[in-house]
């Protein structure tokens, strides 16, 4: 009986494997030891910088948590997602790269795949919500004025529920998590699309609801914002100082959001393209050595956002201080006259 159980266990595990891994150890690294060590050091640096940067953003935001605007609350949620990827996911892959194989077995593989997809999906949906907030604030003032803090918290609950649903769907038997082709990391089992129609439906659903639709919303929002800003810049110049300052702050938040979205999509789109090609292209059509590069690029996405916050904040502070000096100079000239 135990032999039959072990055979059944093995066959059930093989169902989660891409066809080119079924005859060999799925968790053995397919890269050279030197390449694994380089990737391990790369992820260590990324993980440390991401943890420190996003931790700093969360810490500084907690000091003024009662004054955070809705868009800033979303930004903090994005930092939480990025910190989760760094703290929960990075150590698994770093240890595995240095060990030259995935050392955490099937349970660890599924946990790592779930955590990566959960926090990654949470990041993208958060950015989608931020882009909609910016769109309403800039393009539809009548709607933007009633977006308050409690609306942001409701939106956060929806984001976490959405990410939890799509990350957990594979455990319901619809899909699965499997080792990456290079062996030392795990991800969604994109190769199910080659096995059955149900697998194709699963992969297409994930692509649409967790990548294409959110990306389309983000692109639509920022295209409309750019068009609106071009047409309204001259109008704002005629308003009083208070309205101008409010407009400058809204544009600062919009720039932050646009750069964050651009950084995220630049990091993840190559990985998505390779994954789709692996799912619907010819088996073994993506070289294993080539597949590791988009994966490492995607894992760096969590590091960019704190850098973007600081660069924009510094520029905003400089502009604000420069504007203040100009106003002081103007007032002193009026007095002298």
């Amino acid at each position: 009986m135990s032999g039959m159980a072990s055979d059944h266990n093995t066959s059930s595990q093989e169902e989660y494997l891409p066809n080119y891994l079924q005859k060999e150890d799925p968790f053995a690294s397919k890269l050279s030891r030197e390449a694994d060590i380089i990737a391990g050091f790369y992820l260590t640096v990324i993980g440390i910088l991401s943890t420190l940067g996003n931790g700093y953003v969360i810490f500084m935001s907690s000091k003024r948590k009662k004054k955070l605007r809705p868009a800033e609350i979303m930004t903090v949620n994005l930092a939480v997602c990025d910190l989760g990827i760094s703290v929960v996911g990075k150590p698994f892959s770093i240890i595995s790269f240095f060990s030259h194989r995935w050392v955490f077995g099937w349970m660890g593989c599924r946990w790592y795949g779930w955590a990566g997809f959960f926090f990654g999906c949470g990041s993208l949906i958060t950015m989608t919500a931020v882009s909609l907030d910016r769109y309403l604030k800039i393009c539809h003032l009548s709607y933007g004025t009633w977006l308050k803090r409690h609306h942001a918290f409701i939106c956060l609950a929806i984001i976490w529920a959405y990410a939890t649903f799509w990350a957990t769907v594979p455990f319901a038997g619809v899909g699965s998590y499997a080792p990456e082709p290079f062996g030392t990391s795990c991800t969604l089992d994109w190769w199910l699309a080659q096995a059955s129609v149900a697998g194709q439906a699963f992969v297409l659903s994930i692509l649409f609801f967790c990548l294409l639709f959110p990306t389309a919303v983000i692109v639509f929002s920022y295209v409309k914002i750019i068009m609106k800003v071009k047409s309204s810049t001259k109008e704002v110049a005629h308003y009083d100082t208070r309205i101008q300052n409010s407009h400058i702050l809204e544009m600062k938040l919009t720039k932050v959001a646009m750069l964050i979205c651009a950084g995220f999509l630049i990091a993840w789109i190559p990985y998505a393209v390779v994954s789709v090609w692996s799912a619907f292209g010819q088996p073994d059509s993506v070289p294993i050595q080539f597949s590791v590069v988009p994966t490492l690029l995607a894992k760096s996405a969590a590091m960019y956002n704190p850098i973007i916050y600081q660069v924009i904040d510094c520029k905003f502070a400089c502009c604000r201080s420069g504007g203040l000096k100009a106003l002081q100079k103007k007032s002193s000239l009026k007095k002298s006259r």
Side-chain angles (χ1 to χ4, degrees), residues 60-294:
M60 295 303 293
S61 299
S62 67
K63 286 188 170 183
R64 50 186 293 269
K65 56 186 175 183
K66 293 184 178 179
K67 296 181 180 179
L68 293 176
R69 301 158 67 91
E72 294 172 313
I73 292 172
M74 294 295 176
T75 301
V76 174
N77 189 63
L78 188 59
V80 170
C81 291
D82 291 340
L83 185 64
I85 292 174
S86 302
V87 173
V88 176
K90 291 285 193 301
F92 284 81
S93 53
I94 290 170
I95 292 171
S96 296
F97 273 115
F98 282 127
S99 301
H100 197 48
R101 67 174 288 110
W102 180 263
V103 296
F104 301 100
W106 276 101
M107 287 298 293
C109 181
R110 287 166 188 151
W111 159 250
Y112 177 84
W114 181 90
F117 185 50
F118 172 72
F119 287 116
C121 181
S123 294
L124 183 57
I125 303 305
T126 300
M127 287 185 285
T128 306
V130 170
S131 69
L132 284 173
D133 172 78
R134 297 292 84 213
Y135 169 68
L136 292 174
K137 280 278 170 60
I138 303 296
C139 300
H140 298 282
L141 293 177
S142 58
Y143 292 99
T145 51
W146 61 261
L147 288 172
K148 306 299 181 185
R149 282 168 58 91
H150 66 275
H151 295 116
F153 289 115
I154 293 171
C155 193
L156 290 185
I158 296 172
I159 290 168
W160 288 110
Y162 192 92
T164 302
F165 173 78
W166 285 107
T168 310
V169 159
F171 293 128
V174 180
S176 182
Y177 295 99
E180 296 266 18
F182 49 88
T184 45
S185 182
C186 293
T187 184
L188 278 169
D189 192 350
W190 300 102
W191 302 271
L192 283 173
Q194 298 180 359
S196 65
V197 175
Q200 292 177 0
F202 164 73
V203 170
L204 289 173
S205 298
I206 291 291
L207 285 172
F208 179 78
F209 288 104
C210 300
L211 179 64
L212 298 179
F213 178 69
T215 302
V217 172
I218 290 170
V219 172
F220 168 80
S221 298
Y222 289 123
V223 167
K224 298 293 286 186
I225 287 170
I226 291 170
M227 293 170 61
K228 180 69 175 178
V229 168
K230 282 186 176 181
S231 63
S232 63
T233 302
K234 293 181 180 179
E235 296 175 10
V236 174
H238 299 294
Y239 296 148
D240 60 32
T241 305
R242 184 176 60 84
I243 294 177
Q244 288 181 12
N245 290 340
S246 176
H247 179 75
I248 290 171
L249 179 58
E250 293 294 345
M251 292 312 303
K252 175 226 173 183
L253 293 172
T254 303
K255 287 178 181 178
V256 170
M258 289 177 71
L259 286 173
I260 288 171
C261 292
F264 184 91
L265 294 176
I266 290 170
W268 277 97
I269 282 178
Y271 178 78
V273 170
V274 170
S275 298
V276 171
W277 187 265
S278 300
F280 296 100
Q282 293 295 322
D284 306 341
S285 57
V286 179
I288 290 176
Q289 289 77 11
F290 178 75
S291 68
V292 71
V293 176

Side-chain angles (χ1 to χ4, degrees), residues 327-337:
L327 285 172
Q328 289 174 345
K329 188 175 180 180
K330 190 181 290 185
S331 63
S332 64
L333 282 172
K334 285 182 178 179
K335 285 180 181 178
S336 63
R337 284 174 184 174

Side-chain angles (χ1 to χ4, degrees), residues 282-332:
Q282 293 295 322
D284 306 341
S285 57
V286 179
I288 290 176
Q289 289 77 11
F290 178 75
S291 68
V292 71
V293 176
T295 303
L296 294 177
L297 178 62
K299 292 179 187 297
S300 69
M303 180 188 69
Y304 305 145
N305 297 341
I307 298 172
I308 293 170
Y309 305 147
Q310 295 308 310
V311 169
I312 295 292
D313 276 340
C314 288
K315 284 181 66 178
F316 183 65
C318 291
C319 292
R320 190 167 51 186
S321 62
L324 185 62
K325 288 177 182 177
L327 285 172
Q328 289 174 345
K329 188 175 180 180
K330 190 181 290 185
S331 63
S332 64

